[in-house]
Amino acid sequence: LEASYYKGLLERDLGNGSVAATLFREGALAGDPNAMQEFAALCQHGLGSVVRDLDQATFWFEKAADFTSEAMYQAHMLYSQPTENRAADEAAADLYLERAARMGHHEAMIKMLKPLVREERWEQAIPWLLRMESKKSMTMFVKLYREGVAMRPFSVFRGRQILEGLASNGFGDAERLLAEFYKGTEAR
């Protein structure tokens, strides 16, 4: 099943775009999610011998979306825009964005988080901050905690757990953030 995908990668790397496209299409038709995603990308951008077709790209990204967060995110991007044959579908776009974010797709998580932060919807934003596990997100988490923003006990527990893990692995600023977190705990 995966042979077409790997042969397609090899052919693409050798500059044989038309052969790669044929192999990715064969793999996609055989049900290989990696080949589906590669063929969808070819359809999305019109590369090799593949004519740009956003409806076909959407179809193949949607099929691959059960397997990869990148395909979920690309389905979100495509449903966000109209094509020649369909209107933009905000509900489908939102569904694929949330699925991609829940599967850990970084850009999707940022897209989910930004409006929550802007609207100060902290109860919904805090779990996304914790999932990001970045310096910026953990700094914001500690700041909100120290400011007394209401948090679920699990979020507080998980935030402390993440900070302790980062600090024990020597990640920069984690020890400082952990100390600030504990100061916030004392104040509560």
Side-chain angles (χ1 to χ4, degrees):
L1 179 65
E2 295 175 339
S4 293
Y5 169 70
Y6 288 110
K7 287 179 183 177
L9 290 177
L10 180 62
E11 291 297 333
R12 183 182 65 196
D13 290 348
L14 293 173
N16 301 324
S18 296
V19 175
T22 299
L23 290 165
F24 289 142
R25 185 174 186 280
E26 286 175 10
L29 290 170
D32 180 349
N34 293 316
M36 290 175 195
Q37 185 170 308
E38 289 296 329
F39 188 64
L42 293 177
C43 292
Q44 183 179 26
H45 301 290
L47 302 173
S49 60
V50 179
V51 176
R52 186 170 194 251
D53 184 337
L54 297 180
D55 292 312
Q56 277 295 304
T58 304
F59 172 81
W60 286 110
F61 276 129
E62 196 167 17
K63 287 188 78 69
D66 286 338
F67 304 97
T68 75
S69 64
E70 181 62 27
M72 291 175 203
Y73 186 72
Q74 292 304 321
H76 153 72
M77 297 297 289
L78 288 165
Y79 274 119
S80 296
Q81 303 296 319
T83 68
E84 290 180 19
N85 300 313
R86 65 160 175 78
D89 186 339
E90 190 176 327
D94 290 347
L95 172 72
Y96 282 109
L97 176 63
E98 184 173 352
R99 286 181 65 195
R102 290 188 183 282
M103 291 298 296
H105 190 280
H106 185 75
E107 290 174 57
M109 288 193 294
I110 290 171
K111 275 191 166 188
M112 289 292 293
L113 183 58
K114 279 185 176 182
L116 299 174
V117 170
R118 186 175 51 251
E119 297 163 14
E120 297 184 2
R121 293 167 41 200
W122 302 127
E123 187 174 330
Q124 294 165 307
I126 288 168
W128 289 109
L129 289 171
L130 297 175
R131 289 189 81 171
M132 301 278 301
E133 293 189 27
S134 68
K135 178 181 175 181
K136 186 174 182 178
S137 71
M138 294 310 294
T139 299
M140 180 174 272
F141 168 76
V142 170
K143 178 180 179 270
L144 294 171
Y145 183 72
R146 292 206 52 206
E147 289 175 356
V149 169
M151 295 185 185
R152 293 181 176 169
F154 177 76
S155 294
V156 174
F157 168 79
R158 183 67 183 130
R160 186 197 61 177
Q161 195 177 43
I162 292 167
L163 289 167
E164 288 174 347
L166 292 172
S168 71
N169 287 314
F171 288 102
D173 286 345
E175 287 184 24
R176 178 187 57 77
L177 286 172
L178 190 57
E180 287 180 28
F181 174 81
Y182 285 132
K183 285 180 190 172
T185 300
E186 294 167 5
R188 283 185 177 234

